[in-house]
Amino acid sequence: MYNTARDKILSQTNNGYDVFRHYLGEETLNCGRRLFSNPFRKDVTPSCRLKYKKTGGGGAWMLIDYGASEWCGDCFSMVAKSKLLDVRHDFVKVLHIIDEDMNLFVFNNEPADYKPKKATPVSMPKSIEDGGVIAFRAIYRTFTSWEKRYWQRYGISQDILERYNVRSLNLCRFERRDGSKFTMRSNYQEAMYGYVFSCGQGIKVYRPYSKIRFLYAGNLPKPYIFGMEQLPEKGQYVIITGGEKDVMSLAAHGFPAICLNSETATLCKELVSNLTSRFDNLFVLYDMDETGRNESSRQVALHAEGCHICRLELPLNGEKKQKDVSDFFALGHTRAELEDIINSKLRKGGV
């Protein structure tokens, strides 16, 4: 049983590399040097490196510490020593520590889908403009199987997540402007993802099952635009949609798209000018609820003069699981159906 647990941990952590990254710190491993310092001992001169060792049954990452040979070994040995345990006698405990610390759920039978528990309210800013959070430190992990299932229901693959700089968060520590700090952790009831900007210097945290779904920190683009870097240089049309998940769901089905920070944010003239110089038509595809319909109409009215911009509507009733284009694909609708909706608009000249 426990050998199976060991193998599961390795398979979910890139053969142990993510375990080292979790406990040694991503900054340590990504310091840009061949050698790094061991944070668990006084290591003034960097003397550690990771090396992948192949075995008959596969392979695993190993820590090589030239300054203290007792630290040499695989990720289980490293965690044991950092917790003052003996890896041989306390191996089962070590497995449970890694499983719990990294939220791998190796010792829990996870259902095919799950209903999250009610989130615990946390006092934090609700918008970029709030400015309450000024700094953050994120610890990322490999996407778990249940996290992948969440995105796949909308057609979003891991390749798309990587293309749009979306990471699975294990935990994130925040510092407010007044100096106070708080930490948020991901778990099976409250998954947590990061939309990462500015080479890791800015983040929009997304918690799909929590009362407060979004949190912002660091250096974020102003105005906030998601998906701009991934757009083609030119095209027949681009879709302005309601959220980051919608952008990726559209991209996964072959449609170029961007979103603002929210549906109530206003398209600035500079962005519209940029888009109209590259795309023949602008389509606004917001939620099919009252807010989405009103805001998409407002955007079109603001920029209708001298611009081919119009609304797209989906055959959804606007209720909780039938609101946006991500729901559209999750419900089984196809790329061809959305193409028909778009082509109908194009045949009418975009009006």
Side-chain angles (χ1 to χ4, degrees):
M1 173 184 176
Y2 293 109
N3 283 335
T4 300
R6 173 190 179 277
D7 293 341
K8 284 184 177 180
I9 288 174
L10 290 176
S11 69
Q12 292 189 42
T13 60
N14 189 20
N15 296 310
Y17 184 86
D18 291 336
V19 179
F20 285 115
R21 185 170 65 180
H22 178 82
Y23 289 97
L24 296 177
E26 190 162 8
E27 295 87 350
T28 298
L29 300 185
N30 294 338
C31 63
R33 303 173 182 174
R34 182 173 177 271
L35 298 176
F36 59 85
S37 297
N38 187 335
F40 295 114
R41 64 177 183 84
K42 293 181 180 179
D43 188 10
V44 178
T45 303
S47 58
C48 297
R49 69 185 180 96
L50 295 183
K51 182 178 181 181
Y52 186 74
K53 182 178 180 181
K54 293 183 178 180
T55 62
W61 285 91
M62 309 291 289
L63 174 65
I64 310 298
D65 190 330
Y66 298 105
S69 59
E70 66 270 19
W71 281 95
C72 295
D74 60 18
C75 62
F76 305 103
S77 175
M78 181 272 295
V79 172
K81 188 158 184 63
S82 70
K83 303 293 184 180
L84 302 179
L85 300 173
D86 185 308
V87 71
R88 291 173 297 176
H89 296 99
D90 301 309
F91 186 63
V92 174
K93 187 173 184 178
V94 171
L95 294 178
H96 280 276
I97 288 173
I98 295 173
D99 183 48
E100 182 176 348
D101 285 354
M102 297 188 68
N103 300 317
L104 300 175
F105 306 102
V106 167
F107 293 100
N108 294 323
N109 294 321
E110 53 178 280
D113 205 349
Y114 65 94
K115 294 182 179 179
K117 296 178 181 178
K118 186 177 181 181
T120 302
V122 179
S123 174
M124 46 188 157
K126 297 180 180 179
S127 69
I128 294 175
E129 291 74 18
D130 189 303
V133 173
I134 60 172
F136 73 98
R137 180 176 181 269
I139 295 180
Y140 305 107
R141 66 179 180 192
T142 303
F143 282 93
T144 65
S145 58
W146 50 272
E147 287 176 323
K148 290 178 183 178
R149 284 200 300 271
Y150 169 76
W151 293 104
Q152 286 168 354
R153 73 181 68 172
Y154 307 109
I156 301 169
S157 66
Q158 188 161 348
D159 287 343
I160 292 290
L161 293 169
E162 291 175 359
R163 179 183 168 195
Y164 284 85
N165 302 314
V166 181
R167 304 288 299 274
S168 170
L169 280 164
N170 188 54
L171 64 85
C172 200
R173 299 186 177 97
F174 300 93
E175 180 179 347
R176 295 187 178 94
R177 192 172 298 279
D178 62 7
S180 61
K181 300 177 182 180
F182 65 95
T183 299
M184 296 170 60
R185 297 178 182 271
S186 175
N187 58 52
Y188 201 49
Q189 286 75 38
E190 292 192 67
M192 190 164 64
Y193 308 102
Y195 301 124
V196 182
F197 296 90
S198 307
C199 298
Q201 299 305 304
I203 193 169
K204 178 177 180 178
V205 176
Y206 172 47
R207 303 191 304 161
Y209 298 114
S210 301
K211 183 176 181 180
I212 298 176
R213 297 169 62 208
F214 299 108
L215 177 65
Y216 311 84
N219 183 21
L220 291 164
K222 295 182 180 180
Y224 181 97
I225 306 169
F226 181 83
M228 197 70 178
E229 295 178 0
Q230 291 78 13
L231 287 180
E233 194 59 36
K234 290 186 176 294
Q236 187 178 21
Y237 60 81
V238 63
I239 298 172
I240 302 162
T241 192
E244 294 85 358
K245 185 173 65 179
D246 297 331
V247 169
M248 292 187 288
S249 187
L250 283 164
H253 291 86
F255 300 97
I258 63 168
C259 74
L260 306 181
N261 182 45
S262 71
E263 291 181 339
T264 57
T266 299
L267 281 166
C268 64
K269 292 182 179 180
E270 292 78 11
L271 175 59
V272 172
S273 177
N274 180 301
L275 294 176
T276 53
S277 69
R278 298 164 57 184
F279 300 93
D280 299 331
N281 298 273
L282 309 186
F283 292 127
V284 181
L285 177 55
Y286 282 179
D287 290 2
M288 291 296 102
D289 59 8
E290 184 178 359
T291 299
R293 290 175 182 275
N294 291 339
E295 288 301 318
S296 58
S297 297
R298 182 177 70 88
Q299 300 285 17
V300 170
L302 281 173
H303 302 285
E305 186 175 349
C307 175
H308 290 164
I309 183 171
C310 65
R311 296 176 61 234
L312 294 178
E313 292 193 357
L314 300 172
L316 302 176
N317 62 23
E319 295 181 359
K320 187 173 182 180
K321 293 186 178 181
Q322 287 201 39
K323 288 201 306 182
D324 56 37
V325 70
S326 298
D327 296 332
F328 177 81
F329 290 121
L331 290 167
H333 293 283
T334 64
R335 169 191 167 88
E337 290 178 75
L338 183 53
E339 281 184 325
D340 287 343
I341 294 171
I342 291 172
N343 289 333
S344 175
K345 288 288 185 180
L346 293 174
R347 284 193 297 270
K348 296 177 182 178
V351 295

